[in-house]
Amino acid sequence: ADCRVIHLNTLGGLSNTALTDITLPDAFKTWEAPPKEGEEEKEGGEGEKDEEILATYKCPVNFEPTMVSVDLKSIQPSRLTPAGPPRLVIAGPPAGGKGTQCEYIKEKYGVVHLSTGDMLRAAVAAETEVGLQAKACMEAGELVGDDIITNIVLDRLKEEDCKEKGWLLDGFPRTEAQAESLMAATADPDSGILPPDAFVVLDVPSEILVERVVGRRSDPETGKIYHMTFNPPETEEIADRLVQRADDTEEAIVVRIDTFQKNMEGILGKFDERIVFKVDGSGDKAGIGENVLGGIEKLLNPPKKLANLLFMVASNNNKFPEAEAPPAIEEGGEGEGEVGEEKKEPED
Protein backbone atom coordinates (compact mmCIF):
# COMPACT_ATOMS: atom_id res chain seq x y z
CA ALA A 1 0.00 0.00 0.00
CA ASP A 2 1.02 3.61 -0.52
CA CYS A 3 1.87 4.95 2.94
CA ARG A 4 2.20 8.56 3.91
CA VAL A 5 3.02 10.41 7.13
CA ILE A 6 0.57 13.02 8.36
CA HIS A 7 1.57 15.62 10.94
CA LEU A 8 -1.24 16.23 13.46
CA ASN A 9 -1.89 18.12 16.68
CA THR A 10 -4.70 16.04 18.12
CA LEU A 11 -4.01 15.66 21.83
CA GLY A 12 -5.54 18.87 23.18
CA GLY A 13 -7.47 18.16 26.35
CA LEU A 14 -6.09 14.67 26.86
CA SER A 15 -4.14 14.01 30.05
CA ASN A 16 -3.40 11.32 32.61
CA THR A 17 -4.35 8.65 30.10
CA ALA A 18 -2.27 5.75 28.88
CA LEU A 19 -2.79 4.02 25.54
CA THR A 20 -5.64 6.23 24.33
CA ASP A 21 -7.16 5.16 21.00
CA ILE A 22 -7.52 7.97 18.48
CA THR A 23 -9.50 7.79 15.22
CA LEU A 24 -8.29 10.00 12.37
CA PRO A 25 -10.90 12.73 11.67
CA ASP A 26 -12.89 12.65 8.42
CA ALA A 27 -10.89 15.56 7.07
CA PHE A 28 -7.87 13.30 6.73
CA LYS A 29 -9.59 10.47 4.89
CA THR A 30 -9.09 12.39 1.62
CA TRP A 31 -5.81 14.17 1.04
CA GLU A 32 -4.17 15.94 -1.88
CA ALA A 33 -0.68 17.37 -1.68
CA PRO A 34 -0.50 21.00 -2.91
CA PRO A 35 1.85 21.78 -5.82
CA LYS A 36 5.10 23.43 -4.92
CA GLU A 37 5.33 27.15 -5.64
CA GLY A 38 8.13 29.62 -6.11
CA GLU A 39 10.77 27.14 -7.29
CA GLU A 40 12.47 27.13 -10.64
CA GLU A 41 12.16 23.99 -12.70
CA LYS A 42 15.26 21.84 -12.59
CA GLU A 43 16.73 20.45 -15.78
CA GLY A 44 17.55 16.74 -16.00
CA GLY A 45 19.06 14.39 -13.45
CA GLU A 46 17.73 14.65 -9.93
CA GLY A 47 15.39 17.51 -10.92
CA GLU A 48 13.40 15.30 -13.28
CA LYS A 49 13.20 12.63 -10.61
CA ASP A 50 11.90 15.17 -8.07
CA GLU A 51 9.24 16.44 -10.50
CA GLU A 52 8.14 12.87 -11.17
CA ILE A 53 7.75 12.18 -7.47
CA LEU A 54 5.89 15.45 -6.95
CA ALA A 55 3.48 14.66 -9.78
CA THR A 56 2.80 11.29 -8.22
CA TYR A 57 2.01 12.87 -4.88
CA LYS A 58 -0.54 15.21 -6.47
CA CYS A 59 -2.86 12.22 -6.94
CA PRO A 60 -5.79 12.28 -4.48
CA VAL A 61 -5.57 9.52 -1.92
CA ASN A 62 -8.46 8.12 0.11
CA PHE A 63 -7.41 6.93 3.56
CA GLU A 64 -9.07 4.17 5.50
CA PRO A 65 -10.05 5.19 9.05
CA THR A 66 -7.05 4.16 11.08
CA MET A 67 -6.80 3.54 14.83
CA VAL A 68 -3.55 4.43 16.55
CA SER A 69 -2.45 4.01 20.16
CA VAL A 70 -0.49 6.69 21.99
CA ASP A 71 1.25 6.46 25.36
CA LEU A 72 0.37 9.84 26.84
CA LYS A 73 2.39 9.27 30.03
CA SER A 74 5.52 10.16 28.11
CA ILE A 75 3.88 13.23 26.58
CA GLN A 76 1.82 14.99 29.26
CA PRO A 77 3.44 14.99 32.71
CA SER A 78 1.22 14.82 35.76
CA ARG A 79 1.80 15.59 39.43
CA LEU A 80 3.91 12.85 40.96
CA THR A 81 2.25 13.00 44.38
CA PRO A 82 -1.34 12.96 45.66
CA ALA A 83 -3.40 16.12 45.17
CA GLY A 84 -3.80 18.58 48.02
CA PRO A 85 -2.10 21.65 49.48
CA PRO A 86 1.69 21.85 49.02
CA ARG A 87 3.87 19.58 51.13
CA LEU A 88 7.45 20.81 50.97
CA VAL A 89 10.89 20.17 52.44
CA ILE A 90 13.83 22.57 52.28
CA ALA A 91 17.42 21.90 53.26
CA GLY A 92 20.58 23.94 53.11
CA PRO A 93 23.98 24.24 54.78
CA PRO A 94 24.65 26.63 57.66
CA ALA A 95 24.34 30.24 56.39
CA GLY A 96 22.89 28.89 53.15
CA GLY A 97 20.03 31.39 53.10
CA LYS A 98 17.31 28.88 53.99
CA GLY A 99 15.40 31.28 56.23
CA THR A 100 14.96 33.85 53.47
CA GLN A 101 13.70 31.25 51.01
CA CYS A 102 11.24 29.91 53.58
CA GLU A 103 9.71 33.40 53.72
CA TYR A 104 9.29 33.46 49.92
CA ILE A 105 7.64 30.02 49.98
CA LYS A 106 5.29 30.95 52.83
CA GLU A 107 4.26 34.15 51.04
CA LYS A 108 3.44 32.36 47.79
CA TYR A 109 1.76 29.18 49.05
CA GLY A 110 0.54 30.07 52.54
CA VAL A 111 1.88 26.82 54.00
CA VAL A 112 2.59 26.18 57.67
CA HIS A 113 6.30 26.78 58.31
CA LEU A 114 7.62 24.02 60.57
CA SER A 115 11.03 24.63 62.12
CA THR A 116 12.44 21.71 64.12
CA GLY A 117 13.52 24.00 66.97
CA ASP A 118 10.11 25.66 67.18
CA MET A 119 8.29 22.31 67.15
CA LEU A 120 10.57 20.95 69.87
CA ARG A 121 10.00 23.96 72.13
CA ALA A 122 6.23 23.85 71.51
CA ALA A 123 6.05 20.14 72.38
CA VAL A 124 8.00 20.70 75.60
CA ALA A 125 5.79 23.65 76.58
CA ALA A 126 2.62 21.66 75.85
CA GLU A 127 3.99 18.76 77.92
CA THR A 128 3.02 16.18 75.31
CA GLU A 129 4.36 12.66 75.72
CA VAL A 130 7.21 13.20 73.30
CA GLY A 131 7.69 16.73 74.63
CA LEU A 132 8.31 15.37 78.12
CA GLN A 133 10.76 12.85 76.71
CA ALA A 134 12.63 15.66 74.94
CA LYS A 135 12.61 17.76 78.12
CA ALA A 136 14.18 14.91 80.09
CA CYS A 137 17.00 14.65 77.54
CA MET A 138 17.69 18.37 77.58
CA GLU A 139 17.68 18.57 81.38
CA ALA A 140 20.18 15.72 81.46
CA GLY A 141 22.42 17.57 79.03
CA GLU A 142 21.87 14.94 76.31
CA LEU A 143 21.06 15.33 72.63
CA VAL A 144 17.42 14.67 71.77
CA GLY A 145 17.32 11.37 69.85
CA ASP A 146 16.12 10.89 66.28
CA ASP A 147 13.07 8.92 67.37
CA ILE A 148 11.85 11.69 69.70
CA ILE A 149 12.44 14.43 67.10
CA THR A 150 10.68 12.39 64.43
CA ASN A 151 7.64 11.70 66.60
CA ILE A 152 7.34 15.41 67.43
CA VAL A 153 7.38 16.27 63.72
CA LEU A 154 4.92 13.53 62.73
CA ASP A 155 2.49 14.60 65.47
CA ARG A 156 2.64 18.16 64.17
CA LEU A 157 2.01 17.10 60.56
CA LYS A 158 -1.23 15.42 61.63
CA GLU A 159 -2.73 18.65 62.97
CA GLU A 160 -5.56 20.30 61.02
CA ASP A 161 -3.72 23.43 59.92
CA CYS A 162 -1.08 21.32 58.17
CA LYS A 163 -3.73 19.24 56.43
CA GLU A 164 -5.66 22.31 55.28
CA LYS A 165 -2.82 24.66 54.31
CA GLY A 166 0.04 22.30 53.57
CA TRP A 167 3.43 22.40 55.26
CA LEU A 168 7.07 23.36 54.84
CA LEU A 169 9.61 21.33 56.79
CA ASP A 170 12.64 23.44 57.67
CA GLY A 171 15.55 21.65 59.34
CA PHE A 172 13.97 18.21 59.14
CA PRO A 173 15.04 15.59 58.36
CA ARG A 174 18.61 16.16 59.54
CA THR A 175 19.72 12.51 59.49
CA GLU A 176 19.16 9.45 57.35
CA ALA A 177 17.22 7.80 60.19
CA GLN A 178 14.83 10.76 60.41
CA ALA A 179 14.32 10.70 56.63
CA GLU A 180 13.59 6.98 56.67
CA SER A 181 11.03 7.37 59.46
CA LEU A 182 9.30 10.28 57.68
CA MET A 183 8.95 8.40 54.40
CA ALA A 184 7.78 5.26 56.19
CA ALA A 185 5.00 7.31 57.80
CA THR A 186 3.93 8.84 54.48
CA ALA A 187 3.78 5.37 52.93
CA ASP A 188 1.39 4.19 55.67
CA PRO A 189 -2.21 5.00 54.62
CA ASP A 190 -3.30 4.97 58.26
CA SER A 191 -0.86 7.71 59.30
CA GLY A 192 -2.85 10.51 57.70
CA ILE A 193 0.39 12.06 56.37
CA LEU A 194 0.84 12.43 52.61
CA PRO A 195 4.30 12.36 50.98
CA PRO A 196 6.15 15.59 50.17
CA ASP A 197 5.68 17.15 46.75
CA ALA A 198 9.09 18.80 46.53
CA PHE A 199 12.46 18.72 48.29
CA VAL A 200 14.50 21.89 47.75
CA VAL A 201 18.24 21.72 48.38
CA LEU A 202 20.17 25.00 48.46
CA ASP A 203 23.65 24.46 47.05
CA VAL A 204 26.25 27.01 48.16
CA PRO A 205 30.06 26.74 47.78
CA SER A 206 31.92 26.30 51.08
CA GLU A 207 34.04 29.43 50.64
CA ILE A 208 30.91 31.59 50.38
CA LEU A 209 29.42 29.95 53.47
CA VAL A 210 32.58 30.65 55.47
CA GLU A 211 32.52 34.30 54.40
CA ARG A 212 28.87 34.63 55.42
CA VAL A 213 29.41 33.07 58.84
CA VAL A 214 32.60 34.69 60.06
CA GLY A 215 31.19 38.16 59.40
CA ARG A 216 27.90 37.49 61.18
CA ARG A 217 27.09 39.40 64.38
CA SER A 218 24.01 39.73 66.59
CA ASP A 219 22.67 42.61 68.67
CA PRO A 220 22.08 41.37 72.25
CA GLU A 221 19.52 44.13 72.86
CA THR A 222 17.30 43.71 69.79
CA GLY A 223 18.22 40.22 68.59
CA LYS A 224 18.79 41.56 65.07
CA ILE A 225 21.40 39.79 62.95
CA TYR A 226 23.99 41.84 61.06
CA HIS A 227 26.87 41.05 58.72
CA MET A 228 29.94 43.24 58.86
CA THR A 229 30.25 43.19 55.05
CA PHE A 230 26.82 42.52 53.55
CA ASN A 231 24.55 44.08 56.19
CA PRO A 232 26.59 46.31 58.50
CA PRO A 233 25.10 48.01 61.58
CA GLU A 234 23.51 51.41 61.11
CA THR A 235 25.55 53.25 63.76
CA GLU A 236 28.82 52.98 65.64
CA GLU A 237 26.86 52.60 68.87
CA ILE A 238 25.17 49.44 67.57
CA ALA A 239 28.45 48.16 66.15
CA ASP A 240 30.15 48.46 69.54
CA ARG A 241 27.63 46.18 71.27
CA LEU A 242 27.42 43.45 68.61
CA VAL A 243 28.59 39.97 69.59
CA GLN A 244 29.70 36.92 67.64
CA ARG A 245 28.39 33.44 68.35
CA ALA A 246 30.99 31.02 69.63
CA ASP A 247 30.44 28.68 66.66
CA ASP A 248 30.56 31.47 64.03
CA THR A 249 34.24 30.87 63.36
CA GLU A 250 35.90 29.43 60.28
CA GLU A 251 37.03 26.30 62.14
CA ALA A 252 33.54 25.59 63.48
CA ILE A 253 31.67 26.31 60.23
CA VAL A 254 33.90 23.98 58.21
CA VAL A 255 33.02 21.11 60.54
CA ARG A 256 29.29 21.94 60.36
CA ILE A 257 29.36 22.12 56.56
CA ASP A 258 31.11 18.76 56.34
CA THR A 259 28.53 17.19 58.68
CA PHE A 260 25.66 18.64 56.64
CA GLN A 261 27.02 17.33 53.35
CA LYS A 262 27.63 13.83 54.71
CA ASN A 263 24.12 13.64 56.18
CA MET A 264 22.50 14.90 52.96
CA GLU A 265 23.83 11.96 50.99
CA GLY A 266 21.88 9.52 53.14
CA ILE A 267 18.82 11.77 53.45
CA LEU A 268 18.28 12.30 49.73
CA GLY A 269 18.56 8.57 49.12
CA LYS A 270 15.29 8.08 51.02
CA PHE A 271 13.27 10.41 48.77
CA ASP A 272 11.94 9.97 45.25
CA GLU A 273 14.70 11.55 43.17
CA ARG A 274 12.10 13.09 40.84
CA ILE A 275 10.88 15.50 43.56
CA VAL A 276 14.39 16.57 44.63
CA PHE A 277 15.98 19.57 42.94
CA LYS A 278 18.99 21.70 43.77
CA VAL A 279 19.15 25.47 43.49
CA ASP A 280 22.32 27.54 43.33
CA GLY A 281 22.18 29.56 46.53
CA SER A 282 25.18 31.79 45.86
CA GLY A 283 23.41 34.57 43.93
CA ASP A 284 21.06 37.34 44.98
CA LYS A 285 18.11 36.45 47.21
CA ALA A 286 15.40 37.37 44.71
CA GLY A 287 16.98 35.37 41.90
CA ILE A 288 17.39 32.35 44.14
CA GLY A 289 13.77 32.74 45.21
CA GLU A 290 12.56 32.70 41.60
CA ASN A 291 14.40 29.44 40.97
CA VAL A 292 13.10 27.87 44.18
CA LEU A 293 9.47 28.83 43.51
CA GLY A 294 9.77 27.89 39.84
CA GLY A 295 11.03 24.41 40.70
CA ILE A 296 8.24 23.86 43.22
CA GLU A 297 5.59 25.08 40.78
CA LYS A 298 6.72 22.65 38.07
CA LEU A 299 6.19 19.76 40.47
CA LEU A 300 2.86 20.99 41.83
CA ASN A 301 1.44 22.07 38.46
CA PRO A 302 3.40 20.47 35.61
CA PRO A 303 3.28 22.67 32.49
CA LYS A 304 0.92 21.49 29.77
CA LYS A 305 2.45 20.27 26.54
CA LEU A 306 1.14 20.13 23.00
CA ALA A 307 2.19 16.90 21.38
CA ASN A 308 3.27 17.02 17.75
CA LEU A 309 2.99 13.43 16.61
CA LEU A 310 3.56 11.61 13.34
CA PHE A 311 0.80 9.14 12.48
CA MET A 312 1.34 6.59 9.72
CA VAL A 313 -1.81 5.80 7.73
CA ALA A 314 -2.33 3.44 4.80
CA SER A 315 -3.97 4.31 1.50
CA ASN A 316 -6.72 2.19 -0.06
CA ASN A 317 -6.36 3.97 -3.40
CA ASN A 318 -2.94 3.08 -4.80
CA LYS A 319 -2.38 4.96 -8.09
CA PHE A 320 0.81 3.21 -9.05
CA PRO A 321 0.74 0.53 -11.79
CA GLU A 322 0.65 -2.98 -10.40
CA ALA A 323 4.09 -3.87 -11.77
CA GLU A 324 5.80 -0.72 -10.56
CA ALA A 325 6.81 0.38 -7.08
CA PRO A 326 6.48 4.01 -6.02
CA PRO A 327 9.69 5.98 -6.48
CA ALA A 328 11.69 6.30 -3.26
CA ILE A 329 13.22 9.44 -1.87
CA GLU A 330 16.75 8.70 -0.83
CA GLU A 331 18.01 10.18 2.40
CA GLY A 332 20.39 13.06 1.84
CA GLY A 333 19.31 13.56 -1.78
CA GLU A 334 18.34 16.89 -3.26
CA GLY A 335 14.69 15.94 -3.30
CA GLU A 336 14.52 15.06 0.39
CA GLY A 337 11.70 16.73 2.26
CA GLU A 338 10.30 18.54 -0.81
CA VAL A 339 6.85 16.95 -0.70
CA GLY A 340 4.76 19.17 1.56
CA GLU A 341 5.69 19.51 5.21
CA GLU A 342 4.82 16.00 6.32
CA LYS A 343 8.49 14.98 6.80
CA LYS A 344 9.18 17.36 9.72
CA GLU A 345 10.31 15.88 12.96
CA PRO A 346 7.97 16.40 15.94
CA GLU A 347 8.95 19.06 18.44
CA ASP A 348 9.32 18.31 22.14
Side-chain angles (χ1 to χ4, degrees):
D2 175 20
C3 293
R4 314 213 191 272
V5 174
I6 295 184
H7 196 190
L8 304 176
N9 269 329
T10 63
L11 295 182
L14 294 176
S15 63
N16 299 328
T17 308
L19 299 179
T20 297
D21 287 327
I22 301 174
T23 303
L24 289 177
D26 291 340
F28 287 94
K29 294 178 184 177
T30 302
W31 174 84
E32 183 174 345
K36 299 182 63 175
E37 297 179 358
E39 290 191 7
E40 296 182 4
E41 183 176 353
K42 300 177 182 178
E43 296 183 2
E46 291 295 330
E48 293 181 355
K49 179 180 177 181
D50 293 342
E51 291 300 323
E52 179 183 354
I53 295 172
L54 180 59
T56 300
Y57 270 77
K58 289 180 181 178
C59 299
V61 179
N62 295 319
F63 291 113
E64 291 284 359
T66 304
M67 297 293 289
V68 295
S69 292
V70 183
D71 182 3
L72 293 181
K73 286 185 177 179
S74 62
I75 299 169
Q76 179 57 56
S78 59
R79 185 168 169 173
L80 299 170
T81 48
R87 302 174 299 275
L88 312 171
V89 182
I90 187 169
K98 188 159 51 71
T100 300
Q101 299 311 314
C102 285
E103 292 300 319
Y104 288 141
I105 295 171
K106 283 166 53 183
E107 181 179 353
K108 179 175 178 63
Y109 293 108
V111 292
V112 180
H113 181 203
L114 301 176
S115 164
T116 304
D118 291 342
M119 285 186 284
L120 180 59
R121 286 186 288 272
V124 171
E127 296 186 344
T128 64
E129 180 179 351
V130 289
L132 292 175
Q133 294 173 3
K135 182 178 181 180
C137 291
M138 291 186 287
E139 289 179 346
E142 302 172 354
L143 292 175
V144 181
D146 283 340
D147 55 338
I148 297 176
I149 294 293
T150 300
N151 287 331
I152 289 174
V153 173
L154 296 181
D155 285 348
R156 185 67 182 88
L157 294 179
K158 295 175 184 178
E159 295 185 20
E160 283 304 313
D161 59 341
C162 290
K163 292 181 179 180
E164 293 175 1
K165 299 178 181 180
W167 40 264
L168 170 63
L169 285 177
D170 172 11
F172 182 91
R174 287 185 184 273
T175 66
E176 183 176 352
Q178 292 177 1
E180 185 172 8
S181 297
L182 172 64
M183 297 313 293
T186 62
D188 181 3
D190 296 328
S191 71
I193 302 174
L194 295 176
D197 301 302
F199 192 136
V200 185
V201 181
L202 298 177
D203 189 19
V204 187
S206 297
E207 57 270 20
I208 294 180
L209 296 174
V210 171
E211 183 181 12
R212 289 178 181 177
V213 168
V214 297
R216 191 162 56 186
R217 301 290 188 275
S218 62
D219 186 339
E221 293 186 8
T222 65
K224 185 175 180 180
I225 303 297
Y226 293 92
H227 191 282
M228 303 310 291
T229 302
F230 307 125
N231 181 31
E234 297 86 352
T235 66
E236 286 294 331
E237 180 184 355
I238 296 176
D240 290 340
R241 67 173 183 251
L242 296 183
V243 296
Q244 184 180 30
R245 283 174 44 176
D247 57 351
D248 277 355
T249 63
E250 182 171 353
E251 295 77 12
I253 188 61
V254 168
V255 174
R256 292 166 61 197
I257 293 171
D258 184 59
T259 300
F260 168 81
Q261 292 175 341
K262 288 180 178 178
N263 285 336
M264 283 307 299
E265 293 178 6
I267 291 170
L268 296 181
K270 300 300 179 182
F271 289 81
D272 184 339
E273 62 180 8
R274 296 175 297 174
I275 72 165
V276 177
F277 65 97
K278 293 185 177 183
V279 174
D280 182 359
S282 60
D284 66 281
K285 297 176 182 179
I288 298 169
E290 289 181 6
N291 293 332
V292 168
L293 297 178
I296 293 172
E297 190 63 21
K298 287 180 181 179
L299 289 167
L300 293 176
N301 302 296
K304 301 298 181 184
K305 292 184 179 180
L306 281 178
N308 292 330
L309 304 181
L310 295 177
F311 294 95
M312 184 69 75
V313 293
S315 165
N316 67 341
N317 186 14
N318 193 332
K319 293 292 184 179
F320 295 109
E322 184 175 345
E324 297 181 15
I329 301 177
E330 297 179 359
E331 290 189 10
E334 292 181 9
E336 182 178 355
E338 291 189 359
V339 184
E341 295 295 330
E342 288 73 33
K343 302 287 287 183
K344 287 185 179 180
E345 291 294 327
E347 300 175 356
D348 289 339

